[in-house]
Amino acid sequence: MSTISNDSLVESMEDIYSPKLLVQQAKQGCLDSFHQLVMDHQQLVRLYLARRLGKDAEIEDLSQEVFVVAFQRLGTFRADSQFSTWLIGIARNKLMQHLRECVRQRHRNRDFADIALQRLEQASESQDLVEEQAQYLAALRSCLGELPEDSRCLIDQFYFEKKPSHEIAQAQQRSSGAIRMKLMRLRELLQKCILTKTASH
């Protein structure tokens, strides 16, 4: 009766989970194989993005988008290169698109707090209400200044340019769900910040 050595068993397991074989299976439509590729490489992609974005909340969203693009373009992957290298190339492109969009928005859009302040000047409410609004808007402006630049761009686009989430998502090559989730997190963050600052006055 023949036996299988531990070394042979390890080698067999390595063959089963080798990136080359997983990519081949994923190309043939095996979603489990692609899921395994994601599990094996997601930390690599996150670390790459984290080194360039710090602890920004965008890392998770961008990481997911990298794998979405990888799945869509899997047929273009050439087996003569490392899958991890190809994946980092996608991550680099997504990161550059993300940063370029924020720079464009910074130069193109006015600070939405300034717009709100201009509207405040035209308010017809009582003086007490105007003062209360002024205090609130001062806190808002301060809180906005503490946000990452890309987050401020997103708020400006959605709330003051009145762009729908699906249009923003398309421009940034992201999902509408990711944009809506980001906006929800930003609203919660700003609300907490404003309450903290106004409570101290």
Side-chain angles (χ1 to χ4, degrees), residues 101-102 104-106 108-110 112 115 149-165 167-172 174 179 183:
E101 178 63 22
C102 285
R104 285 195 296 267
Q105 291 299 328
R106 179 182 182 182
R108 186 166 65 237
N109 301 327
R110 289 185 297 171
F112 88 87
I115 298 174
E149 185 175 307
D150 57 341
S151 296
R152 295 182 63 184
C153 290
L154 177 58
I155 290 173
D156 194 18
Q157 283 184 297
F158 186 78
Y159 288 103
F160 285 87
E161 293 188 4
K162 303 299 182 183
K163 290 185 178 180
S165 58
E167 183 179 324
I168 300 173
Q170 185 177 14
Q172 297 186 14
R174 302 172 65 184
I179 294 296
L183 285 166

Side-chain angles (χ1 to χ4, degrees), residues 55-70:
K55 296 182 179 180
D56 196 282
E58 294 292 315
I59 292 172
E60 184 63 29
D61 288 342
L62 284 175
S63 175
Q64 292 178 12
E65 290 170 25
V66 168
F67 287 105
V68 169
V69 173

Side-chain angles (χ1 to χ4, degrees), residues 86-142:
W86 181 71
L87 203 56
I88 290 301
I90 294 175
R92 183 183 302 111
N93 289 337
K94 292 296 297 182
L95 178 64
M96 293 306 296
Q97 290 172 2
H98 175 73
L99 295 177
R100 281 196 297 267
E101 178 63 22
C102 285
V103 169
R104 285 195 296 267
Q105 291 299 328
R106 179 182 182 182
H107 292 289
R108 186 166 65 237
N109 301 327
R110 289 185 297 171
D111 184 349
F112 88 87
D114 287 335
I115 298 174
L117 287 167
Q118 289 176 9
R119 291 178 179 175
L120 177 64
E121 292 174 0
Q122 303 168 0
S124 58
E125 290 84 359
S126 67
Q127 184 64 29
D128 289 342
L129 183 56
V130 170
E131 289 178 0
E132 182 180 345
Q133 290 177 336
Q135 181 182 0
Y136 178 89
L137 288 169
L140 171 61
R141 188 169 191 168
S142 176

Side-chain angles (χ1 to χ4, degrees), residues 25-36:
Q25 292 171 341
K27 281 185 174 182
Q28 295 171 354
C30 180
L31 294 179
D32 287 340
S33 294
F34 185 77
H35 177 70
Q36 186 63 49

